Amino acid sequence: MAAEVMLMNEIEATAAQMGIDLNIDFSSIQLPPGENCGIISDDEDVYHDDQLELDSGFGNVIVVDNLPVVPREKFEKLEGVIRKIYSQIGMIKEDGLWMPVDPETKKTLGYCFIEYNTPQEAELAKEKTHGYKLDRAHIFAVNMFDDFDKYMKVPDEWAPPEIKPYTPGENLQKWLADEKARDQFVIRAGTDTEVLWNDARQSKTELVYKRAYWTESFVQWSPMGTYLATVHRQGAAVWGGANTFNRLMRYAHPQVKLIDFSPGEKYLVTYSSHEPSNPRDANRVVINIFDVRTGKVMRDFKGSADEFAIGGAGGVAGVSWPVFRWGGGKEDKYFAKLGKNMISVYETETFSLIDKKSLKVENVVDFSWSPTDPIIALFVPELGGGNQPARVSLVQIPGKEELRQKNLFSISDCKMYWQSNGEYLAVKADRYTKTKKSTYTGFELFRIKERDIPIEVLELDNKNDKIIAFAWEPKGHRFAVIHGDNPRPDISFYSMRSTHNLGRVSKLATLKGKQANALFWSPGGRFIVLAGLKGFNGQLEFFNVDELETMATAEHFMATDVEWDPTGRYVATSVTSVHEMENGFNIWSFNGKLLYRILKDHFFQFLWRPRPPSFLTPEKEEEIAKNLKKYSKKYEAEDQDVSMLLSEQDREKRRMLKEEWERWVGEWRRAHEEEQFERQMLRDGEASDEEEEYEAKEVEVEEVLDVSEEVISFEE
Amino acid sequence: MRPILMKGHERPLTFLKYNRDGDLLFSCAKDHTPTVWFADNGERLGTYRGHNGAVWTCDVSRDSMRLLTGSADQTVKLWNVQTGTQLYTFNFGSPARSVEFAIGDKLAVITTDPFMDLTSAIHVKRIAKDQTEQTEESLLVIKGPQGRINRAVWGPLNRTIISAGEDAVIRIWDSETGKLLRESDKESGHKKTITSLTKAADGSHLLTGSLDKSAKLWDTRTLTLIKTYGTERPVNAVAMSPLLDHVVLGGGQDASAVTTTDHRAGKFEAKFYDKILQEEIGGVKGHFGPINALAFNPDGKSFSSGGEDGYVRLHHFDPDYFNIKI
């Protein structure tokens, strides 16, 4: 302990000497009270990292080289120029500019050191002025002081890297081989994060792993379920393993706010936004792209928030997340970012722009990738007061050739919805009416996989209806729309095929007056949950689209979230801490039977662990679907066994409880009878113990209320 | 089971009590007048006028002759049940929260709230047989627990006093010396304020309800935890059927939040649980606002609930109720 104290003092003293703001808020480092809950390693890192920073401690110092060499009389002038250039970028510390002078010639040496208040400013200065031309002969070469150290340490002679013996990793996908074919999910409630099995047969959960203070803001599964990502002040981490959750890799990124995996989970994008030292400046954004397995930074992007906030809805910070959208299916080949009048498409082989330049599109405001193919759909709004129509175009990557384009007139807004197999694209277009006072909505449906990509226009029966929600059937050809202005809107189902013509859209059905505002298709298609969240207080309707019939209606009062498990067998509805009461989650069968219900105060998150796509061929899948009876027999028998066992266990448990209780009551009664006499004495001898054998007796009491005499005259 | 709605109070109900014969029901409310009703048809029989503050609690003697009421006006009054006349007034420096007659009706235990610079306290008073001999003097005053003591009852043979309150701990005191004998286990016990405590008909076990959204069943002598009943909302009132192995829990969200949320949100139901299996059997809805008081008729064939809404609802069970099998 004493050693530690010593260490702290030393650090502080050193820091004071060097005039460095320690800038560590120790009180903000939260340890669970009383113990470290096994996460000591993280916190050790905190101290460790900070110490590292102090050891060199020059993260906010830059070195500017290639300055003119001047004699003493010009020294002050040169210093003035440099100070002017560099104080525009950030606050130079007092005495933070030092230009060494050769003691013999009294001339400057052609370089100087500049110390800023923060490492961010230093970095910015390096970026902005590296290559700055003072005049033809003097082009600044700016480096971080720390980098010098790093380069100095490079050994002069090359030594072959040490080859580490191969250690086989854990099977990170073991959960898929669960004997009972169950699925996992993660929940966060209070300070605890838990991964649980959904044991629907027994109507309960089974704990896989639980940890308090596992994450500092949220958790997230990778898209194929291999990793669970946690977010901390120092960066992000991923966890996984065969039987438990071990930390597999860490990604250092101070104050990371948001994370995003590439669809094939090869890369992890992390994002943070930092307050500028000058309040008038925009926040500084740092984005890192890590290789998930090696933990290496593949590419980083730094800049002001404005550069990353083009198009999109824009959150509080002005940046719409994810900034980089991944395309090209699970191969993680491309990622793209919306820029001003351009879309920057990068490829992951070199992490640079395709053809070294962005895709130029004037005024582009939105784009989205096909979920399976390297095709970008982009939207350009109307320009010049309607002289130049809005358009949607499909662009092939990496060739950048336009596959299809559609001009749209009098458009107010536009949204793009891809079907999960990338076969169809629906563009929801809000158009102005002639008077421009109101809007109505239509759909442009693209058939991507057909020759020439035919487009069909679809309008609702009542085209003035407002569209509340739209959703494609996963892997299917149908979609559902909630529309209408009533408090109880209608829901319509459409198919991209008609009975006679595979190339025509047809309406399947309209359900009138539903209390729903959100659509949740089963991942296997066919079934859909029509949910009334928020204003509808958690109405749920489980609907079979094949038969067009309602399977069940139910309510999870105040439900905020609905999520299907990745196999489409179960549905989880949850009430998160946006509400004060009723926090917790319900698990339903696909046909709307409530299986179990768990209440947890301060409930934040419920996430099913995703599954990677199936390895079965479509033919095999079809064969299984056809001969489902044959395959399901085994599982039905298992189900029955489990339910038999369960009821047996249940009976046994109840019998035990009853017996225990009887025993306890018997014991009590003996003691109670022993005391009978004393109790009687307390009551002045009244025999009083038949109080337990109370018996209601009906007693008839006749009460004379009034007697009156009346003389009745007797007449004959 | 169609309840009988008894509208007699103008303010939220606080406490309900049946007499031993189960023909009378006494109700206390934040208006100042405790009321007595026919427990069969809900007809109002009379009121006891004289308190000058919310009435928190009452107890009736075994022979149904005398009624003891505790009030926020810092008094506990003894009444003639039949005539409604005040027999005696005990004065305290702070509001009286709970009262109970001892076995034999010669003693009464009274708890008072912390108020100004007074701490909460448990008082034992002698109740004289002859009214003229009644005195103010306390036989015993117990102080110690932090915060309000919401209820104190007599243990077996009047030898102990069992108390529970805001500090979430149940304590057994020696009723002669005032010595602390036992405390409930902190680990397994309640985590928040205990709002209610009721004894089984034979005094063998206790049921406590707490704002930690649970009710717990305890052994009266050893204070060992026997059962826990989990629920979805804070518990304000608990009752046990003398006939079947059922417990009833009532509660709901804070009265202040009632108007701002959907009536379903607070779930103002009286929930029935199987006492032994700890499983929920069913619920009785009806009150608007949380339930503050519950009481079972000693014959086990009816129960009544009192709500923040000012109503007492008297429920006679359907014949089906007595055949519930789970």
Side-chain angles (χ1 to χ4, degrees):
Chain A
M1 195 61 214
E4 264 178 65
V5 172
M6 192 49 216
L7 202 66
M8 248 350 272
N9 290 342
E10 247 173 46
I11 291 170
E12 269 159 26
T14 323
Q17 251 174 34
M18 296 193 292
I20 290 167
D21 183 8
L22 270 171
N23 223 359
I24 311 156
D25 186 6
F26 283 100
S27 64
S28 76
I29 298 167
Q30 275 184 12
L31 259 187
E35 57 172 320
N36 53 35
C37 298
I39 53 166
I40 188 150
S41 58
D42 284 5
D43 285 274
E44 274 178 349
D45 291 348
V46 175
Y47 297 113
H48 194 62
D49 285 355
D50 291 342
Q51 246 170 287
L52 273 183
E53 216 168 274
L54 286 167
D55 280 344
S56 59
F58 300 118
N60 47 350
V61 178
I62 56 171
V63 184
V64 185
D65 206 351
N66 270 355
L67 295 175
V69 177
V70 294
R72 189 194 289 198
E73 46 278 20
K74 283 193 178 174
F75 181 93
E76 265 173 39
K77 196 175 173 195
L78 179 63
E79 198 189 48
V81 170
I82 294 167
R83 194 178 285 281
K84 201 173 164 192
I85 294 171
Y86 283 93
S87 56
Q88 280 170 5
I89 291 155
M91 277 281 283
I92 298 176
K93 273 203 178 171
E94 217 173 304
D95 300 329
L97 176 65
W98 181 50
M99 192 150 48
V101 177
D102 190 320
E104 281 173 27
T105 60
K106 306 286 180 204
K107 279 184 175 179
T108 63
L109 292 164
Y111 56 87
C112 74
F113 301 90
I114 297 169
E115 185 177 2
Y116 281 105
N117 272 328
T118 63
Q120 282 86 1
E121 283 169 321
E123 215 159 291
L124 190 70
K126 176 195 146 192
E127 261 169 54
K128 286 214 168 163
T129 61
H130 184 67
Y132 178 86
K133 281 185 189 165
L134 193 65
D135 56 45
R136 194 167 299 195
H138 299 103
I139 300 169
F140 284 7
V142 186
N143 280 296
M144 303 295 291
F145 185 81
D146 280 353
D147 289 346
F148 271 85
D149 252 12
K150 203 164 70 191
Y151 299 137
M152 296 292 284
K153 276 180 198 153
V154 175
D156 292 339
E157 260 176 65
W158 182 80
E162 210 179 304
I163 295 169
K164 284 183 197 155
Y166 172 72
T167 45
E170 276 183 273
N171 178 1
L172 299 180
Q173 288 173 326
K174 194 155 175 229
W175 96 98
L176 292 169
D178 179 45
E179 257 175 30
K180 297 174 205 157
R182 298 171 300 180
D183 274 291
Q184 288 187 351
F185 57 85
V186 64
I187 57 168
R188 279 198 314 118
T191 55
D192 290 344
T193 304
E194 292 171 61
V195 179
L196 302 159
W197 287 108
N198 167 33
D199 204 333
R201 267 178 184 156
Q202 313 213 22
S203 293
K204 64 180 178 66
T205 59
E206 193 189 314
L207 188 69
V208 181
Y209 188 77
K210 177 178 177 171
R211 189 158 173 173
Y213 304 96
W214 198 357
T215 176
E216 281 172 48
S217 49
F218 60 95
V219 294
Q220 189 173 326
W221 292 105
S222 63
M224 297 203 277
T226 315
Y227 310 106
L228 182 71
T230 56
V231 179
H232 309 268
R233 239 172 307 125
Q234 308 96 298
V238 295
W239 306 71
N243 299 310
T244 177
F245 280 82
N246 303 317
R247 187 163 60 204
L248 301 172
M249 189 49 73
R250 282 187 298 159
Y251 312 97
H253 185 157
Q255 285 154 47
V256 58
K257 285 273 142 28
L258 298 163
I259 58 171
D260 182 39
F261 280 97
S262 65
E265 52 185 44
K266 281 201 193 108
Y267 304 106
L268 178 74
V269 188
T270 58
Y271 163 92
S272 66
S273 165
H274 304 269
E275 294 266 329
S277 51
N278 180 351
R280 274 173 309 212
D281 292 348
N283 278 12
R284 244 178 91 69
V285 166
V286 178
I287 295 174
N288 287 319
I289 302 180
F290 292 95
D291 184 301
V292 169
R293 267 185 295 182
T294 62
K296 249 201 241 148
V297 180
M298 304 307 289
R299 169 103 201 226
D300 59 348
F301 296 88
K302 287 169 192 171
S304 85
D306 300 338
E307 292 169 47
F308 292 92
I310 292 155
V316 185
V319 175
S320 72
W321 186 253
V323 170
F324 291 104
R325 300 177 206 172
W326 292 86
K330 303 270 183 216
E331 279 101 65
D332 295 347
K333 267 198 186 144
Y334 308 106
F335 59 98
K337 172 178 89 78
L338 194 63
K340 198 169 189 186
N341 295 330
M342 63 184 184
I343 297 171
S344 309
V345 187
Y346 301 81
E347 46 93 18
T348 53
E349 215 141 286
T350 59
F351 276 87
S352 56
L353 285 168
I354 291 179
D355 305 337
K356 304 243 169 11
K357 55 177 184 276
S358 295
L359 183 63
K360 289 263 180 289
V361 188
E362 282 297 310
N363 287 308
V364 60
V365 293
D366 195 14
F367 78 96
S368 70
W369 285 95
S370 155
T372 49
D373 304 295
I375 298 175
I376 284 180
L378 57 91
F379 169 64
V380 181
E382 224 163 50
L383 281 178
N387 285 333
Q388 202 180 326
R391 79 191 149 93
V392 170
S393 35
L394 297 173
V395 178
Q396 177 97 45
I397 299 296
K400 299 189 182 174
E401 67 260 23
E402 196 164 72
L403 297 174
R404 192 75 163 87
Q405 187 203 351
K406 168 99 188 207
N407 287 342
L408 301 163
F409 296 91
S410 43
I411 290 291
S412 76
D413 193 19
C414 188
K415 274 222 162 65
M416 292 173 280
Y417 301 93
W418 284 92
Q419 183 250 19
S420 68
N421 283 359
E423 290 168 65
Y424 311 111
L425 169 70
V427 175
K428 188 191 94 177
D430 294 338
R431 291 187 171 85
Y432 292 112
T433 51
K434 287 222 171 91
T435 57
K436 293 232 170 187
K437 276 183 183 149
S438 57
T439 59
Y440 66 98
T441 308
F443 291 95
E444 313 281 328
L445 301 164
F446 293 67
R447 291 168 197 275
I448 309 294
K449 298 279 158 99
E450 282 170 39
R451 205 160 64 88
D452 293 340
I453 311 187
I455 301 171
E456 197 170 343
V457 179
L458 173 74
E459 277 180 356
L460 297 176
D461 296 347
N462 176 7
K463 63 179 187 177
N464 292 327
D465 272 1
K466 212 174 85 192
I467 307 293
I468 297 163
F470 175 97
W472 282 102
E473 176 181 32
K475 300 180 203 158
H477 56 88
R478 291 176 287 207
F479 59 88
V481 185
I482 305 182
H483 55 95
D485 300 315
N486 297 334
R488 284 164 175 257
D490 300 342
I491 301 174
S492 296
F493 295 97
Y494 292 87
S495 167
M496 291 299 282
R497 304 169 187 166
S498 316
T499 32
H500 302 299
N501 185 349
L502 285 182
R504 271 201 82 74
V505 177
S506 63
K507 190 168 98 169
L508 300 170
T510 295
L511 315 172
K512 294 263 177 212
K514 290 287 175 194
Q515 290 194 36
N517 49 22
L519 297 164
F520 298 94
W521 281 95
S522 157
R526 192 169 162 196
F527 306 111
I528 188 169
V529 175
L530 316 171
L533 306 177
K534 291 179 193 140
F536 289 129
N537 282 338
Q539 298 292 330
L540 305 168
E541 183 166 342
F542 295 77
F543 195 81
N544 180 338
V545 185
D546 272 5
E547 310 293 332
L548 291 174
E549 64 178 16
T550 302
M551 296 183 292
T553 53
E555 186 194 48
H556 181 189
F557 185 61
M558 299 292 226
T560 53
D561 297 274
V562 176
E563 200 188 352
W564 282 85
D565 87 324
T567 60
R569 294 176 295 176
Y570 307 104
V571 180
T573 58
S574 46
V575 180
T576 53
S577 58
V578 288
H579 295 299
E580 236 174 78
M581 307 280 290
E582 317 282 327
N583 277 199
F585 64 92
N586 287 5
I587 302 286
W588 311 76
S589 68
F590 75 97
N591 55 0
K593 194 176 140 223
L594 181 62
L595 299 174
Y596 59 94
R597 170 176 173 75
I598 288 179
L599 294 164
K600 294 230 177 226
D601 273 352
H602 305 290
F603 192 73
F604 301 116
Q605 260 188 315
F606 181 105
L607 291 173
W608 288 102
R609 187 170 194 173
R611 283 168 176 257
S614 161
F615 286 119
L616 296 178
T617 58
E619 293 79 43
K620 183 73 182 166
E621 272 188 44
E622 205 167 306
E623 195 261 331
I624 291 175
K626 236 183 225 161
N627 303 311
L628 192 63
K629 281 244 165 70
K630 191 177 95 195
Y631 288 100
S632 66
K633 221 174 227 163
K634 178 182 136 204
Y635 296 102
E636 271 162 24
E638 267 177 35
D639 276 356
Q640 204 163 3
D641 288 350
V642 168
S643 79
M644 290 272 281
L645 186 72
L646 206 61
S647 51
E648 187 55 43
Q649 279 174 352
D650 223 29
R651 267 200 298 279
E652 184 62 19
K653 194 179 127 210
R654 286 180 180 200
R655 206 176 53 76
M656 294 270 288
L657 281 172
K658 288 255 192 224
E659 265 175 21
E660 210 174 292
W661 178 259
E662 293 298 333
R663 216 170 25 246
W664 185 82
V665 168
E667 230 162 83
W668 164 269
R669 196 157 285 155
R670 215 175 34 252
H672 196 58
E673 270 158 25
E674 278 165 21
E675 289 169 355
Q676 188 175 346
F677 178 70
E678 286 177 66
R679 198 159 38 244
Q680 209 162 320
M681 292 316 293
L682 280 173
R683 289 201 172 120
D684 300 334
E686 187 189 346
S688 59
D689 272 5
E690 67 279 24
E691 62 206 299
E692 290 113 78
E693 290 103 49
Y694 181 89
E695 211 178 300
K697 277 187 222 142
E698 244 173 69
V699 184
E700 258 178 57
V701 180
E702 240 174 73
E703 209 174 315
V704 182
L705 292 175
D706 192 15
V707 181
S708 62
E709 272 182 39
E710 211 175 307
V711 182
I712 301 163
S713 62
F714 187 75
E715 280 173 52
E716 222 167 317
Chain B
M1 184 167 65
R2 207 182 152 76
I4 298 167
L5 207 59
M6 291 141 76
K7 310 174 193 174
H9 289 290
E10 291 163 358
R11 297 286 315 278
L13 269 285
T14 56
F15 198 77
L16 290 167
K17 178 82 192 174
Y18 282 93
N19 68 343
R20 190 172 87 95
D21 302 324
D23 61 339
L24 298 179
L25 172 64
F26 298 88
S27 64
C28 303
K30 288 187 186 170
D31 59 16
H32 307 165
T33 40
T35 303
V36 60
W37 317 75
F38 273 124
D40 185 43
N41 58 9
E43 207 178 306
R44 181 153 68 169
L45 205 59
T47 53
Y48 300 90
R49 289 182 180 276
H51 274 302
N52 201 15
V55 182
W56 293 117
T57 178
C58 71
D59 194 21
V60 60
S61 66
R62 188 176 157 88
D63 55 9
S64 300
M65 295 301 282
R66 281 179 288 180
L67 177 73
L68 203 55
T69 57
S71 162
D73 66 3
Q74 312 190 350
T75 65
V76 168
K77 287 182 193 288
L78 192 64
W79 310 81
N80 182 323
V81 170
Q82 236 171 342
T83 61
T85 47
Q86 274 184 49
L87 301 177
Y88 194 78
T89 301
F90 299 96
N91 286 300
F92 296 94
S94 62
R97 183 62 53 172
S98 90
V99 296
E100 197 193 47
F101 281 115
I103 299 169
D105 295 334
K106 292 191 208 78
L107 299 169
V109 59
I110 298 166
T111 66
T112 52
D113 289 351
F115 185 65
M116 309 289 273
D117 46 357
L118 286 173
T119 59
S120 58
I122 303 169
H123 308 258
V124 177
K125 302 273 184 188
R126 186 176 296 287
I127 305 293
K129 199 154 202 174
D130 186 348
Q131 219 33 73
T132 52
E133 290 167 21
Q134 183 66 51
T135 59
E136 177 98 348
E137 159 202 22
S138 291
L139 291 183
L140 177 71
V141 179
I142 304 170
K143 288 180 186 170
Q146 285 298 307
R148 207 152 76 194
I149 302 167
N150 278 324
R151 190 127 184 91
V153 296
W154 292 95
L157 298 179
N158 298 349
R159 281 180 190 157
T160 55
I161 291 169
I162 304 153
S163 74
E166 265 178 348
D167 62 358
V169 181
I170 304 169
R171 292 188 176 82
I172 297 188
W173 311 86
D174 188 311
S175 62
E176 294 268 330
T177 63
K179 218 177 89 189
L180 180 63
L181 300 177
R182 255 175 230 281
E183 277 191 7
S184 63
D185 182 32
K186 281 231 171 63
E187 203 52 35
S188 62
H190 285 294
K191 301 284 176 280
K192 289 187 184 169
T193 297
I194 297 171
T195 50
S196 50
L197 184 160
T198 182
K199 283 191 287 186
D202 62 0
S204 62
H205 47 283
L206 303 166
L207 183 65
T208 53
S210 159
L211 297 183
D212 68 4
K213 302 185 182 176
S214 73
K216 288 176 189 283
L217 198 71
W218 309 83
D219 186 314
T220 311
R221 286 173 210 270
T222 62
L223 219 51
T224 38
L225 180 67
I226 308 174
K227 304 278 178 194
T228 298
Y229 311 93
T231 170
E232 298 165 24
R233 57 243 138 98
V235 179
N236 294 342
V238 292
M240 277 190 277
S241 166
L243 197 63
L244 302 171
D245 284 322
H246 291 170
V247 301
V248 193
L249 315 181
Q253 76 209 86
D254 261 1
S256 59
V258 168
T259 52
T260 57
T261 45
D262 192 285
H263 67 99
R264 284 168 299 178
K267 295 228 192 74
F268 309 119
E269 286 175 73
K271 285 251 187 215
F272 278 71
Y273 287 76
D274 189 289
K275 194 198 274 182
I276 301 166
L277 304 178
Q278 308 174 66
E279 282 169 46
E280 193 178 317
I281 306 169
V284 178
K285 289 183 189 175
H287 282 287
F288 180 79
I291 291 172
N292 289 342
L294 283 169
F296 247 100
N297 191 307
D299 69 3
K301 290 176 184 164
S302 66
F303 83 102
S304 52
S305 55
E308 188 76 14
D309 58 3
Y311 290 123
V312 179
R313 297 173 80 93
L314 176 61
H315 309 261
H316 289 280
F317 292 114
D318 288 339
D320 297 348
Y321 166 79
F322 301 99
N323 300 320
I324 294 173
K325 285 268 179 305
I326 59 166

